[in-house]
Amino acid sequence: MGEDRRLDVLRAIVEDYVATREPVGSRALTERHHLGVSPATIRNDMAALEEAGLIVAPHTSAGRVPTDLGYRTFVDHLSQVRALSAAERRAISTLLAEAVDLDDVVDRAVRLIAQLTHQVAVVQYPSLRRSALRHVELVAMGERRLLVVIITATGRVEQRTLELAEGVDEAAVARLRLRLNAAAVGLRLSDLDRVRERLVEQVSAGIGTATSAGDADLVRTVLDAIAETLAQESEERVVVAGTANLARSADFALSISPVLEALEEQVVLLRLLTEMAEDESAVAVRIGREHRYEPLVETSIVSSGYGDGVAVARIGAVGPLRQDYPGTIAAVRAVARYLTRILAG
Amino acid sequence: MGEDRRLDVLRAIVEDYVATREPVGSRALTERHHLGVSPATIRNDMAALEEAGLIVAPHTSAGRVPTDLGYRTFVDHLSQVRALSAAERRAISTLLAEAVDLDDVVDRAVRLIAQLTHQVAVVQYPSLRRSALRHVELVAMGERRLLVVIITATGRVEQRTLELAEGVDEAAVARLRLRLNAAAVGLRLSDLDRVRERLVEQVSAGIGTATSAGDADLVRTVLDAIAETLAQESEERVVVAGTANLARSADFALSISPVLEALEEQVVLLRLLTEMAEDESAVAVRIGREHRYEPLVETSIVSSGYGDGVAVARIGAVGPLRQDYPGTIAAVRAVARYLTRILAG
DNA sequence: GATTGGCACTCGGTGCCGGTGAGTGCCACC
DNA sequence: GGTGGCACTCACCGGCACCGAGTGCCAATC
């Protein structure tokens, strides 16, 4: 029973098609891969693979091309992720280590992925919801405006301006800053919601002498603002690089513009990445129609979480269906790992 | 002397070619524009225009197409910027007014330009060098690390972490924060360099009691950091939107990927925009080879400064040579004006 | 029963050919 | 200077024959 050989044939078809972009025929297969059987036998296997929905012929009298399902099978069972060379690993490591701040790390990472995979790279900023609070800074800006700056353990800074109902006292702001930091620093932002009421008590009790009612209000307002900032998922930024690789691939039947449009929609990217988070530290792959998003049916997404402990955010590569999956997976995994290491250090 | 009519012919050619993407011939011209002369006459004019380098024939026995120089002449002498309708203006105005913070303003502006012009939109963040300082926030982060947060009048926030030679005292940081803000707030960042030494004296004199030498060092370090942040031009962010419009235009002979590459290079975009700042409040146009940057020879850039008083930064639209210049110019100008208004308010 | 060689058939790709039509340049004329 | 006329050019299109890669099927073979 040729079950094994059939999968060998599938692997060979995927590899050849990825390499040449030509539909691959039975003769070519026997020539380039030592399968030990004749073209006629391959043809039988191909008929079976087509029956199973793993390959299709673009037209009669042409070779075969893998389907989404064919690539899926290849990725799941047939490819072994080839490790990067020591030199490559060292290059990634030093490039990332040279970054001067978080923005720079993210920028370098996204360019790195684009360059290694020859695809469109996507990097999500370390998530606010998940990373711990390092500092909250309050700045009075005129009469009744308060600037809240939230600093996370990963070095990310978020800001928000509040319009206050009543005027604020410089000194009260200073006291609040002190208390708030004492009470809330170290908390994961996702925990903040749960412990909010306790914090309000803790903090405002500490501040108040006379105006303790007003202080409690102030604390609540500030915490609300922090919570709201977090709730606003749009604050979770995604950066993209390597869109030029799309245009070069020339694999898109219609046009690349729907893909480019999708890549400009932070919300969409964020959703796609988030949906791939079933196993956060592993590399996940979505092929063609698997991610249910029409404009990207002609693309695959390879993505991994990164960050310490629980993954904090995700990186990924968006490219054509016809791509070097083992290579992409290896690159994405490597960058995710080094990114995790850099951010922890 | 048909000098006038010749330019009419050029205008007609540009308009028809922009509308149809077909090289335009003498007969078509007489039919679509009431020039009052016969095709044969037009042919003579066209020969003269070709002689002058304003139009070319892609091949013998084809119509004519404008050259870079032809578009330039059209833009400079032949087109009248058509005003946007009241409804359009109102739409722009309210869309921008709904923005909740600076990031949102920029994001809305760039999308707006992309949508109005059907081209790639580019918006430079209000420049750090030029805008005034609203607040400096210092945050001690452990032993000898200090986070400096710079807040500008336009609401932009920049951060930087300093490694200090000697440990810092919480109280000293608080005093420094106070003094520094008292002394430096309101200064344009570009002035900072000049008055730095005076500031060092002013501020550290105010802080010090015993450790005034160490304090002066601290002040200098912080000011250095601020200055360095400013010097680092890469901090001047540029955001891009509407790259999908490129793919749709189908006007690019080779491929759009060099253009996409260029658009990802902040530094390049920044340089191109900056070079167009000869008259900051007016709209400037660079056509094809005029901007000496090889990957963009097949594109034109329409750009305007925006911001209060002295222009603070620039916006622009990058698109194919064959484009509706009057429309693009009108849209860019309108958005720049409303942007200026919003930021001032 | 799996494998194989043989064979007829399909069909996309290429090159050649002639016709068509838009467009030009030029020239003689007004 | 403007115009009508005319010969010429050349991209484009449809038709056609040919080539070759590739298939499916079948009978023969291991």
Side-chain angles (χ1 to χ4, degrees):
Chain A
M1 107 110 53
E3 190 59 27
D4 274 1
R5 194 195 52 228
R6 242 175 235 169
L7 289 179
D8 280 346
V9 171
L10 175 59
R11 177 195 298 131
I13 290 175
V14 170
E15 286 174 359
D16 276 21
Y17 182 60
V18 167
T20 65
R21 184 180 308 163
E22 305 281 304
V24 8
S26 50
R27 183 190 346 247
L29 275 187
T30 55
E31 281 166 6
R32 278 211 285 268
H33 305 261
H34 30 64
L35 295 166
V37 291
S38 79
T41 311
I42 300 294
R43 283 204 282 280
N44 291 330
D45 291 338
M46 286 168 111
L49 289 171
E50 185 157 19
E51 179 75 19
L54 300 174
I55 58 178
V56 281
H59 56 83
T60 343
S61 89
R64 304 308 218 291
V65 160
T67 61
D68 290 7
L69 196 57
Y71 285 122
R72 164 56 59 195
T73 310
F74 174 80
V75 168
D76 286 349
H77 304 304
L78 301 173
S79 63
Q80 48 214 4
V81 181
R82 66 167 164 286
L84 299 184
S85 73
E88 283 175 305
R89 303 184 147 265
R90 215 166 324 117
I92 297 176
S93 167
T94 57
L95 191 74
L96 288 181
E98 282 167 2
V100 301
D101 61 15
L102 180 66
D103 284 339
D104 198 21
V105 171
V106 171
D107 185 56
R108 282 164 183 261
V110 76
R111 284 168 189 261
L112 197 50
I113 298 170
Q115 200 194 319
L116 289 171
T117 64
H118 304 295
Q119 303 191 26
V120 181
V122 171
V123 173
Q124 177 187 6
Y125 264 70
S127 166
L128 263 188
R129 291 171 172 280
R130 295 234 176 120
S131 59
L133 194 62
R134 182 182 274 171
H135 190 86
V136 176
E137 190 53 47
L138 304 179
V139 185
M141 300 184 65
E143 280 282 304
R144 36 190 65 182
R145 301 181 71 185
L146 191 64
L147 180 71
V148 182
V149 179
I150 303 164
I151 301 161
T152 75
T154 45
R156 184 163 159 191
V157 176
E158 284 295 326
Q159 54 192 311
R160 195 175 191 83
T161 310
L162 297 185
E163 305 287 343
L164 300 178
E166 46 185 313
V168 270
D169 176 358
E170 272 278 353
V173 170
R175 284 196 307 265
L176 177 55
R177 179 196 297 128
L178 224 64
R179 293 290 168 171
L180 198 57
N181 278 295
V185 162
L187 283 181
R188 301 221 148 231
L189 293 182
S190 51
D191 302 333
L192 211 59
D193 259 9
R194 284 190 287 107
V195 297
R196 184 153 53 174
E197 274 314 308
R198 199 164 44 97
L199 277 181
V200 172
E201 282 174 43
Q202 255 179 36
V203 175
S204 56
I207 310 176
T209 47
T211 60
S212 80
D215 280 348
D217 275 357
L218 184 58
V219 176
R220 203 170 277 119
T221 311
V222 172
L223 286 174
D224 278 353
I226 296 177
E228 195 188 327
T229 303
L230 307 185
Q232 206 176 326
E233 196 137 37
S234 67
E235 288 295 331
E236 310 221 13
R237 276 175 53 205
V238 177
V239 301
V240 173
T243 51
N245 293 329
L246 268 192
R248 259 188 294 268
S249 87
D251 256 16
F252 294 89
L254 310 92
S255 155
I256 64 171
S257 58
V259 181
L260 287 173
E261 266 171 20
L263 290 171
E264 281 186 4
E265 289 304 325
Q266 304 256 331
V267 186
V268 170
L269 287 183
L270 223 38
R271 183 168 61 75
L272 288 171
L273 286 179
T274 314
E275 283 175 1
M276 294 177 72
E278 65 269 336
D279 176 0
E280 290 183 327
S281 65
V283 175
V285 181
R286 290 286 177 280
I287 297 167
R289 301 193 171 274
E290 289 177 1
H291 46 68
R292 311 212 134 280
Y293 183 59
E294 195 55 31
L296 296 186
V297 289
E298 280 187 286
T299 67
S300 289
I301 309 177
V302 175
S303 160
S304 166
Y306 73 90
D308 48 340
V310 202
V312 170
R314 301 191 68 82
I315 64 175
V318 180
L321 294 170
R322 187 185 72 81
Q323 68 172 272
D324 171 20
Y325 289 95
T328 305
I329 292 171
V332 167
R333 184 163 65 184
V335 173
R337 285 185 182 166
Y338 284 103
L339 210 44
T340 302
R341 195 175 306 171
I342 296 288
L343 290 179
Chain B
M1 102 109 55
E3 191 61 26
D4 274 1
R5 193 196 50 228
R6 241 175 237 169
L7 290 180
D8 280 346
V9 170
L10 175 60
R11 177 195 298 134
I13 291 175
V14 170
E15 286 175 357
D16 276 22
Y17 182 60
V18 166
T20 65
R21 184 180 308 164
E22 305 282 302
V24 10
S26 51
R27 189 198 330 258
L29 275 188
T30 56
E31 280 167 6
R32 277 211 284 268
H33 305 261
H34 31 61
L35 295 165
V37 291
S38 79
T41 311
I42 300 294
R43 283 203 284 279
N44 292 330
D45 292 338
M46 285 168 109
L49 289 171
E50 182 155 23
E51 179 73 20
L54 300 174
I55 57 177
V56 282
H59 56 83
T60 343
S61 89
R64 305 304 218 291
V65 160
T67 61
D68 289 8
L69 195 57
Y71 285 122
R72 164 56 60 196
T73 310
F74 174 80
V75 168
D76 286 348
H77 304 303
L78 301 174
S79 63
Q80 47 212 4
V81 182
R82 67 165 166 288
L84 300 184
S85 72
E88 283 175 305
R89 303 185 148 266
R90 214 166 326 117
I92 298 175
S93 168
T94 57
L95 191 73
L96 289 181
E98 283 167 359
V100 301
D101 61 16
L102 181 66
D103 284 339
D104 198 20
V105 171
V106 171
D107 185 56
R108 282 163 183 262
V110 76
R111 285 168 189 260
L112 198 50
I113 298 170
Q115 201 194 318
L116 289 172
T117 64
H118 305 295
Q119 302 190 26
V120 182
V122 172
V123 173
Q124 179 188 5
Y125 263 70
S127 164
L128 261 189
R129 290 170 173 278
R130 295 230 175 126
S131 59
L133 194 62
R134 183 182 274 171
H135 190 86
V136 176
E137 190 53 47
L138 304 178
V139 185
M141 300 183 66
E143 279 284 306
R144 33 190 68 181
R145 302 182 71 184
L146 191 64
L147 179 71
V148 182
V149 179
I150 303 165
I151 302 161
T152 75
T154 45
R156 184 163 158 190
V157 176
E158 285 295 329
Q159 56 192 313
R160 196 174 190 83
T161 310
L162 298 185
E163 305 286 343
L164 300 178
E166 45 185 316
V168 270
D169 177 358
E170 271 278 352
V173 169
R175 281 196 309 267
L176 178 55
R177 178 196 297 128
L178 225 62
R179 293 288 170 175
L180 198 58
N181 278 294
V185 162
L187 282 181
R188 300 217 151 234
L189 293 182
S190 52
D191 303 332
L192 211 59
D193 260 8
R194 284 189 287 110
V195 298
R196 183 154 52 176
E197 274 315 306
R198 199 163 46 97
L199 277 179
V200 171
E201 281 173 44
Q202 257 181 34
V203 174
S204 57
I207 309 177
T209 46
T211 59
S212 82
D215 280 346
D217 274 358
L218 185 55
V219 176
R220 203 170 276 118
T221 311
V222 171
L223 287 174
D224 278 354
I226 296 177
E228 196 188 325
T229 303
L230 306 185
Q232 205 177 325
E233 195 137 40
S234 67
E235 289 294 333
E236 311 221 12
R237 276 174 54 205
V238 176
V239 301
V240 174
T243 50
N245 292 330
L246 270 190
R248 260 188 294 266
S249 89
D251 257 16
F252 294 89
L254 311 94
S255 152
I256 65 171
S257 57
V259 181
L260 286 173
E261 266 170 20
L263 289 171
E264 281 186 4
E265 289 305 324
Q266 304 256 330
V267 187
V268 170
L269 287 183
L270 223 37
R271 182 167 61 75
L272 288 171
L273 285 179
T274 315
E275 283 174 2
M276 295 178 70
E278 66 268 341
D279 176 359
E280 290 184 323
S281 65
V283 175
V285 181
R286 290 287 178 279
I287 297 167
R289 300 193 172 276
E290 289 177 1
H291 46 69
R292 313 212 131 280
Y293 184 61
E294 194 56 31
L296 295 187
V297 288
E298 280 188 286
T299 66
S300 289
I301 308 179
V302 175
S303 160
S304 166
Y306 73 90
D308 48 341
V310 203
V312 171
R314 299 191 70 82
I315 63 175
V318 180
L321 295 170
R322 187 185 73 82
Q323 69 173 269
D324 171 20
Y325 289 95
T328 305
I329 292 171
V332 167
R333 184 163 64 183
V335 174
R337 284 185 182 165
Y338 284 103
L339 211 43
T340 302
R341 194 174 306 171
I342 295 288
L343 290 179

